[in-house]
Amino acid sequence: MTILNINEKEYSLDLKGHETLLEVLRDTLGLTGTKTACNEAECGACTVLVDDKSVLACITLAKNVEGCKILTIEGLSRGEELHPIQQAFLDNGAVQCGFCAPGFILSTKSLLNRNPKPNLDEIKKSLDGHICRCGGYLKIFDAVKDASQKLNNHDNKE
């Protein structure tokens, strides 16, 4: 048995060893917020966080992340309340067709965990490797800046 901690919940899974994390998330557990697109680590749509670092689930073997904390887009919000990063993406119109949004949002969370006030160059570098087929990069960059402000304001209130 392989035990995976996903979104603060433990799943005991009978894995063969060749399953990618993406396959387990979507096909076994029904967590379809993580998107399947290129399957070649080219587009970022399958990004999840493993121990707070951005990881491409399409090229990560599920067995290799046993014992790690895995966060998918489903685990980011608290019930009906969106995470400030998700809210910033909505407020800035950075979710167009929505397909790439989960990957961008989770990579943004990883960035802001490491660097709470990134400049534009740092944002671009951090999100390099993500593809938005709608071409909404400027709104996405604005959303990351907005999320940074919202999270910093939130932290200052606590």
Side-chain angles (χ1 to χ4, degrees):
M1 279 296 156
T2 301
I3 297 175
L4 297 180
N5 182 323
I6 302 168
N7 301 331
E8 300 182 5
K9 181 178 178 183
E10 288 196 349
Y11 295 89
S12 183
L13 303 163
D14 183 20
L15 300 179
K16 307 293 184 233
H18 59 81
E19 300 93 340
T20 66
L21 182 56
L22 180 62
E23 292 169 332
V24 170
L25 292 172
R26 290 185 60 85
D27 303 339
T28 305
L29 301 176
L31 297 170
T32 57
T34 306
K35 302 302 181 196
T36 302
C38 71
N39 275 324
E40 298 176 343
E42 295 289 331
C43 71
C46 65
T47 299
V48 298
L49 299 188
V50 175
D51 290 338
D52 289 328
K53 294 180 183 165
S54 295
V55 169
L56 298 172
C58 73
I59 59 166
T60 301
L61 290 176
K63 275 202 173 264
N64 289 350
V65 293
E66 185 172 21
C68 299
K69 290 185 177 181
I70 301 160
L71 179 68
T72 70
I73 196 69
E74 289 91 346
L76 192 58
S77 64
R78 296 285 174 229
E80 297 293 318
E81 183 181 346
L82 294 178
H83 187 278
I85 296 172
Q86 293 171 306
Q87 190 62 55
F89 270 67
L90 286 177
D91 292 347
N92 287 277
V95 179
Q96 294 182 23
C97 80
F99 188 82
C100 65
F104 273 105
I105 289 169
L106 289 172
S107 284
T108 297
K109 180 164 179 25
S110 178
L111 168 65
L112 297 179
N113 285 346
R114 290 179 278 115
N115 180 359
K117 295 180 180 178
N119 63 38
L120 182 58
D121 287 339
E122 292 166 330
I123 293 168
K124 287 179 178 177
K125 183 177 179 184
S126 178
L127 298 179
D128 188 32
H130 284 268
I131 296 173
C132 172
R133 287 173 173 74
C134 301
Y137 295 103
L138 296 178
K139 291 180 178 180
I140 291 169
F141 300 151
D142 288 343
V144 175
K145 288 185 241 174
D146 186 31
S148 170
Q149 291 174 340
K150 286 178 176 168
L151 287 168
N152 286 310
N153 288 342
H154 178 70
D155 290 345
N156 290 335
K157 289 180 183 175
E158 290 183 342

